[in-house]
Amino acid sequence: MEQGKKKIEFNIIKNDPTDGHRGFGIGSLSLENVSPVFIDVEEGEAFVDIGAMHARSSVEKRIKFLPNRDEVPEGEKPYWLVWVTIDRKVEGPYYAGVTACEMTVNKEARRGYKSLPEHVNRLDKSLKRHIIVEHMDENSKKVLEKFLKDHNEEMWNLSSDELKQGLHVE
């Protein structure tokens, strides 16, 4: 690992947010077990940046996002923001929800494209244990698959066939 870069881990599941109570909070979703993973499409790298939970990741800082990709000046760099939700079953933790959102950034122009409604909806879908990766480019799928396996192979092995097939590229 390069010097100066620290390894960022996934959020780990905490105890039941309702703490055993059956009243307030039942049926609500917790953000404690979701992590934002960025895929730098050009560099073929994946990294966790918790700042994305509040649109304050290193990729998003000082960028004005426009809802129309045609308005972003030429030279933008493509990214995927992937919401990864971790859950636990009897055998152990696994990648339960994985949903990808498109994003482009032109650092020099300080402009970028992202669909905020899509990002919010995909976060919600990840929290609800959906897998939405079919629209990703093949190389980014490979990068994400390797990243998830390298982070924790046991969690990968316990994950759904839908996720494994969705990211597997021949």
Side-chain angles (χ1 to χ4, degrees):
M1 193 177 311
E2 293 177 33
Q3 191 171 354
K5 278 193 175 183
K6 57 185 173 181
K7 185 176 180 181
I8 300 177
E9 294 292 326
F10 281 98
N11 285 342
I12 301 299
I13 300 170
K14 293 185 181 176
N15 293 333
D16 177 6
T18 61
D19 214 17
H21 299 288
R22 296 194 181 271
F24 180 78
I26 295 294
S28 62
L29 296 171
S30 169
L31 296 177
E32 293 176 345
N33 55 349
V34 67
S35 295
V37 177
F38 280 93
I39 308 286
D40 181 326
V41 176
E42 291 175 356
E43 300 296 323
E45 294 177 346
F47 56 93
V48 174
D49 189 333
I50 297 299
M53 296 297 291
H54 303 286
R56 288 184 169 80
S57 67
S58 60
V59 173
E60 297 165 294
K61 278 185 183 166
R62 293 182 284 287
I63 301 295
K64 179 180 180 181
F65 284 97
L66 306 171
N68 182 349
R69 79 174 69 238
D70 297 334
E71 294 176 17
V72 178
E74 292 285 321
E76 72 271 21
K77 186 173 180 170
Y79 291 91
W80 290 103
L81 172 53
V82 183
W83 299 107
V84 179
T85 300
I86 297 171
D87 202 351
R88 181 177 295 277
K89 48 181 147 181
V90 176
E91 302 87 347
Y94 68 103
Y95 302 116
V98 179
T99 59
C101 315
E102 188 179 9
M103 175 188 297
T104 65
V105 172
N106 182 326
K107 286 278 189 195
E108 273 112 47
R110 298 169 113 176
R111 295 292 181 268
Y113 162 78
K114 75 175 176 181
S115 167
L116 188 56
E118 177 192 43
H119 283 241
V120 171
N121 289 334
R122 294 283 163 88
L123 170 58
D124 181 59
K125 294 283 191 193
S126 179
L127 287 166
K128 292 176 178 171
R129 314 309 187 246
H130 292 264
I131 307 296
I132 305 174
V133 295
E134 63 278 352
H135 59 296
M136 294 176 72
D137 61 282
E138 289 194 1
N139 191 55
S140 295
K141 287 181 184 182
K142 288 180 190 174
V143 169
L144 183 58
E145 178 182 21
K146 181 180 182 331
F147 181 80
L148 295 174
K149 281 181 182 175
D150 288 351
H151 176 262
N152 189 316
E153 194 155 4
E154 286 179 42
M155 285 173 56
W156 173 260
N157 292 336
L158 290 172
S159 297
S160 72
D161 288 340
E162 181 185 6
L163 174 62
K164 294 172 190 170
Q165 291 164 3
L167 291 180
H168 187 72
V169 179
E170 305 218 5

